[in-house]
Amino acid sequence: MKSKLIAILITAVWSLTAQSKELTIGERKVIASQTLEEKREYWISLPTSFKEGGYKDYPVLYLLDADFNSFFHVFTGMVRQLSSDATPVIPEMIVVGIVSQERVRDSSPTRSLIEYGGRKNQALSNTGGADQFLEFLR
């Protein structure tokens, strides 16, 4: 009896998903940055109500460290849930996730090999690029 019930549930779920529309979470894009002198990957997620050529303004949420399988996927899901309920908590918005390539470089304002505690650390040799990263974002 239990196995029949499971089979019925699996069949029901399969038939519902087979008839459903495709779910798009975001679209991957690449931009060449002259400021950073490299190509940068980013993801963009548009609100459900977004229409090409429409005139509605949407706020934009910029998400750093936006690896698709972790942060970007989670944040876009939260934004859609919080903005689509019967009584939305937040407005619909565009989410732009910027994939991190050199996180330490992009987030550190100064170049230094000295880490917290005063020890020298060669892993910090690629620091001090926060100003360029902010310019890239602008």
Side-chain angles (χ1 to χ4, degrees):
M1 181 68 173
K2 191 175 182 181
S3 62
K4 283 185 179 182
L5 181 60
I6 291 172
I8 290 170
L9 286 173
I10 289 172
T11 304
V13 169
W14 178 80
S15 66
L16 286 173
T17 57
Q19 295 172 8
S20 67
K21 295 179 180 180
E22 183 178 323
L23 174 65
T24 302
I25 296 167
E27 184 178 342
R28 178 186 178 270
K29 305 232 180 214
V30 176
I31 187 171
S33 169
Q34 292 178 344
T35 303
L36 298 174
E37 298 178 357
E38 63 190 19
K39 291 183 179 179
R40 294 302 296 250
E41 177 183 354
Y42 67 99
W43 290 88
I44 187 160
S45 176
L46 300 173
T48 307
S49 68
F50 180 85
K51 292 179 179 59
E52 289 289 332
Y55 296 103
K56 184 175 178 181
D57 288 331
Y58 293 97
V60 179
L61 172 75
Y62 291 94
L63 175 64
L64 304 180
D65 294 338
D67 180 85
F68 180 77
N69 293 319
S70 57
F71 293 125
F72 185 75
H73 192 198
V74 170
F75 271 80
T76 56
M78 287 190 297
V79 166
R80 286 189 185 202
Q81 177 61 37
L82 292 171
S83 65
S84 66
D85 197 6
T87 54
V89 179
I90 62 173
E92 287 186 301
M93 63 185 68
I94 297 169
V95 179
V96 177
I98 301 166
V99 177
S100 181
Q101 289 176 276
E102 293 285 345
R103 187 173 193 266
V104 172
R105 177 196 67 194
D106 293 343
S107 62
S108 58
T110 59
R111 185 169 176 81
S112 176
L113 294 176
I114 307 302
E115 66 183 4
Y116 180 76
R119 294 187 323 215
K120 193 172 187 178
N121 183 346
Q122 288 299 323
L124 299 175
S125 63
N126 193 20
T127 56
D131 289 340
Q132 289 84 8
F133 186 67
L134 288 174
E135 182 61 30
F136 162 72
L137 291 177
R138 278 191 217 87

